[in-house]
Amino acid sequence: MLEGLDPEQREVATALNGPVCVLAGAGTGKTRAITHRIAYGVRAGILHPSTVLAVTFTNRAAGEMRGRLRQLGAQGVQARTFHSAALRQLQYFWPKAIGGSMPRLIDRKIQFVADAAAACGVRLDRNELRDVTAEIEWSKVTQTVPADYAPAAVKAGREAPRDPAEIARIYSGYEDLKRDRAVIDFEDVLLLTVAVLQDRHDIADQVRAQYQHFVVDEYQDVSPLQQRLLELWLGERDNLCVVGDASQTIYSFTGATPDHLLDFRARHPGATVVKLVRDYRSSPQVVHLANGLLAQARGRAAAHRLELVSQRGPGPEPAYTEYTDEPAEAEGAARRIRELIDAGTAPSEIAVLFRTNAQSETYEQALADAGVPYQLRGAERFFDRPEVRKAGVALRGAARFGGNDALLDDVVDLPSQVRAVLSGEGWTSQPPAGSGAVRERWESLAALVNLAHDFAAARPGATLADLVAELDERASAQHAPTVQGVTLASLHSAKGLEWDVVFLVGVAEGMMPITYARTDEQIEEERRLLYVGVTRARERLHVSWSLARSPGGRASRRPSRFLDGLRPGSSAAGGARAAAGTVGGIERGVTGVGTAAAPVVRRAQRTPARCRVCGRTLTDAGEMKLMRCEDCPSDMDEGLYERLIEWRAEQARLTGQPAFCVFTEKTLMAIAETVPEDAADLARIPGVGMRKFKRFGADVLAICAGQDPAGVTDDD
């Protein structure tokens, strides 16, 4: 069961008692480590399968974990999402804890939020409904009640899609409506399970008797509500293994926080902390860029970043390409992808990753024009989006009956006609504030406005009817096979996935970081989002940006600040120095009553020895003792060296040992070259161990100072 695991993964697999925190960098085999941990415990008879509960955040991840455990012979282990595990317990204990039948669980809360808003006299469109719903979900996972929403949103730096007091009223009305209709939502599942376990100690004891060992994956994404549920599952016990990476925290807008991961050692002073930094996914060149991205990061998560070490063979350097405009960037990516496919790369092993879903349309069209099949992940196809379809209907109607439309009375050119029509669908000349559905809807409509500009420039004299025909042709041309296609995905939806080749597109200021990221915390989350994108690539990485939006446009854009000092020809912003990352290894906690003693480092990565003359990395043991290459010039004090040789001969005679057992000649040469002035200088010289330092240190320092040594007597 332990074969094939590296030393750190093996430590994860065998540390089955007490709290364990696994800090796992991207591509370091964390799922392999924790599934082997569970399977090893089961196969060794230490863990009973039915007493183990492994929780993660997506059904896909839970299913993958169950599959791996079955392959490893650990059937019977529960691997579920937080919601699935809580729902199972709530359904079982509802008759005993509350009585009667459990309320119906609603799949989607949009309609309930709409009804609650209407009851409050507030009219919300579809996109505002989605944003307000997101605010209600955030409130519930952060355990914020309606009365506290407004101050909590301000404290968290959230940009509310409506007046906070208005959202609080809708939130309160939503809760009342659910109660009246006897239904619950997914957040209620967690809240009610927490309430039952808090109020009914007999039920809590029954759950704790069932589950005695817990594993939590993606721990950096835990919300306060999920953390509270986990604490209730645990009780006073500490058989808990958590796995996460603070540098991959990209869902803070949903209530996720890395604080639980970063504070784990403070809550569990006796915890074993294992750091996985051996990257088995990406080439050294990709890993170097990933490390460089985080080297300039700031904040608490950055202070705990992991320095990845690639375990793969060398690959090509990341490619950086600057384009004149967005269409040229999309066409360039499509052209390279076509070449890769023609050379034998499977389309399913290629991904194009972008910051916002609204960017997909340009790449959908470019890939379709190049005859490249593609599939969209985590987003609707551009022309299938409701706002785009509705806009198409409006444009088609204007093309047919525009003569009777007052909006078009004073406009003559095609772009102005499109702007006038789409203004009735929510398009404005300035983008809305915030990052929610309203912004995404605006970006979709803005993409149509931009398309009209480009179409009119390419076909002077084109009419609105011509544009509608063009839109229809584009929509039909994008019906490409989706099974073996190139993946188009937003950076958020790419989390947890990997490809041989990744194209990171639109990596320019205003998009990465996104315009509405203003605070230091928001900027750092954008940096982490780009880091996640980079670490999706196994072999090849293409990074690109464009200077203008459309052909002939003003070249006012610049590459993302996150690439400063990393891409060729750029320098680090402000001359900032890269911060050192955390190395891999294992730290064992020191247990004790009422104390949180400092960890004992069992294994740490050594700094490479370098020649003090030419700076070359040293590998020969003799050269490492001298701290210089054999061929590099020596500045040894010849007289001091001779005195040390004479002293060593006398010590060997007195102690009856061979001379090299006192100090080797290489160690004496190193001493004569560095001429240590104090104990600290002498102790730093390779070959001067603690035992020899205690026995001979005073004599050696005396000789270096030109004094007579005290010497060693025959009695010694």
Side-chain angles (χ1 to χ4, degrees), residues 13 59 69 117 159 186 326 513 608 716:
N59 289 320
L69 289 171
E159 291 193 25
F186 276 101
E326 288 181 7
D716 292 335

PDB file of all heavy atoms in Angstrom, residues 13 59 69 117 159 186 326 513 608 716:
ATOM      1  N   ALA A  13       0.351   8.917   4.796  1.00  0.00           N
ATOM      2  CA  ALA A  13      -0.334   7.626   4.811  1.00  0.00           C
ATOM      3  C   ALA A  13      -0.190   6.894   6.137  1.00  0.00           C
ATOM      4  O   ALA A  13      -1.082   6.135   6.525  1.00  0.00           O
ATOM      5  CB  ALA A  13       0.189   6.750   3.673  1.00  0.00           C
ATOM      6  N   ASN A  59     -19.232  16.871  -5.988  1.00  0.00           N
ATOM      7  CA  ASN A  59     -19.617  15.481  -6.207  1.00  0.00           C
ATOM      8  C   ASN A  59     -18.596  14.754  -7.064  1.00  0.00           C
ATOM      9  O   ASN A  59     -18.345  13.559  -6.879  1.00  0.00           O
ATOM     10  CB  ASN A  59     -21.001  15.416  -6.865  1.00  0.00           C
ATOM     11  CG  ASN A  59     -22.102  15.832  -5.902  1.00  0.00           C
ATOM     12  OD1 ASN A  59     -22.076  15.497  -4.725  1.00  0.00           O
ATOM     13  ND2 ASN A  59     -23.079  16.579  -6.410  1.00  0.00           N
ATOM     14  N   LEU A  69     -10.583   4.593  -3.616  1.00  0.00           N
ATOM     15  CA  LEU A  69     -10.621   3.760  -2.414  1.00  0.00           C
ATOM     16  C   LEU A  69     -11.066   2.336  -2.749  1.00  0.00           C
ATOM     17  O   LEU A  69     -10.548   1.371  -2.176  1.00  0.00           O
ATOM     18  CB  LEU A  69     -11.549   4.387  -1.372  1.00  0.00           C
ATOM     19  CG  LEU A  69     -11.025   5.666  -0.718  1.00  0.00           C
ATOM     20  CD1 LEU A  69     -12.110   6.326   0.131  1.00  0.00           C
ATOM     21  CD2 LEU A  69      -9.799   5.365   0.149  1.00  0.00           C
ATOM     22  N   ALA A 117     -38.892  38.922  -2.934  1.00  0.00           N
ATOM     23  CA  ALA A 117     -38.658  40.298  -3.377  1.00  0.00           C
ATOM     24  C   ALA A 117     -39.971  40.978  -3.742  1.00  0.00           C
ATOM     25  O   ALA A 117     -40.201  42.143  -3.393  1.00  0.00           O
ATOM     26  CB  ALA A 117     -37.696  40.303  -4.564  1.00  0.00           C
ATOM     27  N   GLU A 159     -19.488  44.038  -2.559  1.00  0.00           N
ATOM     28  CA  GLU A 159     -20.221  45.046  -3.314  1.00  0.00           C
ATOM     29  C   GLU A 159     -21.623  44.509  -3.561  1.00  0.00           C
ATOM     30  O   GLU A 159     -21.843  43.699  -4.463  1.00  0.00           O
ATOM     31  CB  GLU A 159     -19.506  45.358  -4.631  1.00  0.00           C
ATOM     32  CG  GLU A 159     -18.184  46.086  -4.437  1.00  0.00           C
ATOM     33  CD  GLU A 159     -17.659  46.659  -5.737  1.00  0.00           C
ATOM     34  OE1 GLU A 159     -18.477  46.921  -6.644  1.00  0.00           O
ATOM     35  OE2 GLU A 159     -16.444  46.839  -5.847  1.00  0.00           O
ATOM     36  N   PHE A 186     -30.238  24.161   0.489  1.00  0.00           N
ATOM     37  CA  PHE A 186     -29.019  23.409   0.782  1.00  0.00           C
ATOM     38  C   PHE A 186     -28.267  23.979   1.980  1.00  0.00           C
ATOM     39  O   PHE A 186     -27.669  23.233   2.753  1.00  0.00           O
ATOM     40  CB  PHE A 186     -28.114  23.381  -0.455  1.00  0.00           C
ATOM     41  CG  PHE A 186     -28.478  22.303  -1.428  1.00  0.00           C
ATOM     42  CD1 PHE A 186     -29.197  22.593  -2.576  1.00  0.00           C
ATOM     43  CD2 PHE A 186     -28.116  20.985  -1.201  1.00  0.00           C
ATOM     44  CE1 PHE A 186     -29.552  21.603  -3.474  1.00  0.00           C
ATOM     45  CE2 PHE A 186     -28.455  19.977  -2.092  1.00  0.00           C
ATOM     46  CZ  PHE A 186     -29.177  20.283  -3.234  1.00  0.00           C
ATOM     47  N   GLU A 326      -7.865  41.808 -29.661  1.00  0.00           N
ATOM     48  CA  GLU A 326      -8.458  40.565 -29.171  1.00  0.00           C
ATOM     49  C   GLU A 326      -8.729  39.549 -30.274  1.00  0.00           C
ATOM     50  O   GLU A 326      -8.436  38.360 -30.108  1.00  0.00           O
ATOM     51  CB  GLU A 326      -9.733  40.867 -28.392  1.00  0.00           C
ATOM     52  CG  GLU A 326      -9.485  41.514 -27.041  1.00  0.00           C
ATOM     53  CD  GLU A 326     -10.779  41.775 -26.289  1.00  0.00           C
ATOM     54  OE1 GLU A 326     -11.850  41.341 -26.764  1.00  0.00           O
ATOM     55  OE2 GLU A 326     -10.723  42.419 -25.229  1.00  0.00           O
ATOM     56  N   PRO A 513      -5.223  41.587 -12.972  1.00  0.00           N
ATOM     57  CA  PRO A 513      -6.431  41.487 -12.169  1.00  0.00           C
ATOM     58  C   PRO A 513      -7.626  42.177 -12.836  1.00  0.00           C
ATOM     59  O   PRO A 513      -7.458  43.124 -13.608  1.00  0.00           O
ATOM     60  CB  PRO A 513      -6.057  42.188 -10.867  1.00  0.00           C
ATOM     61  CG  PRO A 513      -5.019  43.190 -11.276  1.00  0.00           C
ATOM     62  CD  PRO A 513      -4.240  42.519 -12.373  1.00  0.00           C
ATOM     63  N   PRO A 608      21.587  24.736  -1.196  1.00  0.00           N
ATOM     64  CA  PRO A 608      22.704  24.188  -1.962  1.00  0.00           C
ATOM     65  C   PRO A 608      24.013  24.868  -1.588  1.00  0.00           C
ATOM     66  O   PRO A 608      24.072  26.080  -1.389  1.00  0.00           O
ATOM     67  CB  PRO A 608      22.316  24.493  -3.417  1.00  0.00           C
ATOM     68  CG  PRO A 608      20.831  24.669  -3.390  1.00  0.00           C
ATOM     69  CD  PRO A 608      20.523  25.255  -2.052  1.00  0.00           C
ATOM     70  N   ASP A 716      43.474  12.945  29.438  1.00  0.00           N
ATOM     71  CA  ASP A 716      42.263  13.121  28.633  1.00  0.00           C
ATOM     72  C   ASP A 716      42.049  11.924  27.715  1.00  0.00           C
ATOM     73  O   ASP A 716      40.932  11.529  27.453  1.00  0.00           O
ATOM     74  CB  ASP A 716      42.334  14.403  27.800  1.00  0.00           C
ATOM     75  CG  ASP A 716      42.282  15.636  28.689  1.00  0.00           C
ATOM     76  OD1 ASP A 716      41.743  15.527  29.804  1.00  0.00           O
ATOM     77  OD2 ASP A 716      42.785  16.683  28.266  1.00  0.00           O
TER      78      ASP A 716
END
